[in-house]
Amino acid sequence: MLPDDPASTVEEIEAALLGGDRAYSAHDLARRAGIGLDVVQGFWSTLGLPHGDPDDPFYTERDAEAVDRAAALVREHGLDLRTVITVTRALGHTSDRLALWQVEALVEDMASRYELDDASARLLVLDRLADLAPVLEAQLVHSYRRQLAAIAGRYGAEFGEIGRPGGEPGALPLARAVGFADMVSFTRRTAGLGSTDLSSFVQRFEAAARDVVTAAGGRVVKTIGDAVLFVADDAASGARVALGLADALGRELDVGSATAAGGIAEGARGVTPVRVGFIWGRVLSRFGDVFGPSVNLAARLADIAEPSHVLTDRVTAAALAADPRFALTELPARELQGLGTVVPVELSATSA
């Protein structure tokens, strides 16, 4: 049943999600937390949320509690204000995308289950959001705690292996396998698709890629349009991820069959083949992303790889040379923009 009055539904959702009426101004929040007005406004801007006039009653009790907690990170836990801003920005950026992603998934579900047009599906989601929110929130908290525990476990394993947290002076801090998997001919394959088919195509690619990466012992850093960036904690795991992506994603899409059925777009519900570049090296991890020469090299190698093939470099090949599961074949040197001359090495799986 669709809501009769969307405006009143929004008011009910706000009351349920935001902890009551908007009873506090920015000045009230600043006085309550014992901080400056500029800090309150900066907190809200960093979250990526709008804020009203400083004297208007724009904030709820839960908003006030959030500002109190941010102030406590400095006052009681000793964090630098810049660090609090960084942590808050990460939260705002991630939760914004997460909320939109989940709501759009709910819209698709309602449209499909009840055979509704897009507008009607959105209204139905609006009507049910207050009931669904507590379940989604509980799952978010559980997932977040699990992710923190996993990071703690990785740190502990790394320090246990090397015996000390330091490393080579001047080197980037983390030794990681890093790789890119780029869709082949994404524009051509998705030309002419409507929103439903395009959404299905992208979701299938992301889901399949994440499943492969996770099963092989890696982690997805991010998806970037038609590509996925992944990391792993050792060279062998990175190699398994890279080969898994090249094999699974390419194998599942029968391009010939799709073409015979009426063009590449007809196969859009399959997974597109990918080109993969993969490097073992050192990276800097910041803002939920990874940076460094290894990341740049992996991206360039993905650009020149053949569909459903994996390229790496000589350093990574040397790290894998003793592993009987992998075959390594040097290819002619290539000039890569911004990186100079590089000798690509093709990585493949053996029967071992």
Side-chain angles (χ1 to χ4, degrees), residues 78-322:
L79 296 185
D80 185 85
L81 181 59
R82 289 173 297 179
T83 302
V84 175
I85 291 172
T86 297
V87 170
T88 304
R89 181 172 289 114
L91 179 62
H93 174 77
T94 305
S95 57
D96 172 47
R97 187 179 183 208
L98 175 64
L100 181 60
W101 189 346
Q102 291 185 330
V103 169
E104 293 293 348
L106 294 173
V107 169
E108 289 190 7
D109 176 76
M110 300 297 180
S112 175
R113 276 199 291 152
Y114 300 113
E115 299 182 347
L116 298 173
D117 59 44
D118 186 75
S120 297
R122 290 178 187 279
L123 286 171
L124 187 55
V125 168
L126 193 64
D127 188 50
R128 299 189 178 182
L129 202 53
D131 291 335
L132 291 169
V135 180
L136 298 176
E137 179 182 14
Q139 292 297 83
L140 169 61
V141 172
H142 175 261
S143 175
Y144 179 71
R145 287 177 173 271
R146 269 292 184 176
Q147 295 292 351
L148 284 180
I151 291 172
R154 291 198 297 271
Y155 278 16
E158 287 175 349
F159 294 156
E161 288 176 4
I162 65 178
R164 58 185 178 87
E168 180 184 339
L172 294 178
L174 300 176
R176 292 286 186 271
V178 58
F180 278 92
D182 280 329
M183 290 190 199
V184 175
S185 303
F186 173 75
T187 301
R188 179 167 60 90
R189 293 179 189 281
T190 57
L193 293 182
S195 60
T196 299
D197 278 348
L198 180 59
S199 174
S200 296
F201 181 88
V202 172
Q203 286 187 39
R204 181 166 164 78
F205 171 74
E206 287 200 12
R210 287 179 182 275
D211 287 349
V212 171
V213 171
T214 302
R219 300 178 299 283
V220 172
V221 176
K222 61 182 178 180
T223 54
I224 317 160
D226 57 354
V228 60
L229 170 61
F230 66 87
V231 295
D233 293 333
D234 58 82
S237 295
R240 290 197 301 271
V241 171
L243 291 171
L245 289 168
D247 176 60
L249 300 185
R251 185 185 64 236
E252 292 183 17
L253 178 62
D254 186 340
V255 176
S257 174
T259 302
I264 285 294
E266 294 294 330
R269 292 185 180 83
V271 179
T272 179
V274 292
R275 298 182 174 92
V276 185
F278 144 70
I279 294 295
W280 170 249
R282 303 195 75 85
V283 300
L284 174 69
S285 177
R286 290 292 186 276
F287 319 118
D289 206 342
V290 289
F291 305 90
S294 297
V295 182
N296 300 334
L297 180 53
R300 295 290 185 271
L301 289 172
D303 289 341
I304 65 171
E306 293 295 321
S308 299
H309 286 68
V310 179
L311 291 183
T312 187
D313 68 344
R314 281 175 162 173
V315 173
T316 308
L320 296 170

Side-chain angles (χ1 to χ4, degrees), residues 5-30:
D5 184 1
S8 65
T9 301
V10 170
E11 291 177 0
E12 292 173 4
I13 292 173
E14 281 204 353
L17 297 182
L18 303 184
D21 297 330
R22 297 174 182 260
Y24 300 95
S25 70
H27 281 299
D28 294 331
L29 267 56

Side-chain angles (χ1 to χ4, degrees), residues 327-351:
L328 299 146
T329 306
E330 281 200 5
L331 303 179
R334 296 284 297 269
E335 189 74 19
L336 300 183
Q337 184 178 4
L339 298 175
T341 302
V342 174
V343 177
V345 179
E346 184 170 330
L347 173 70
S348 56
T350 68
S351 56

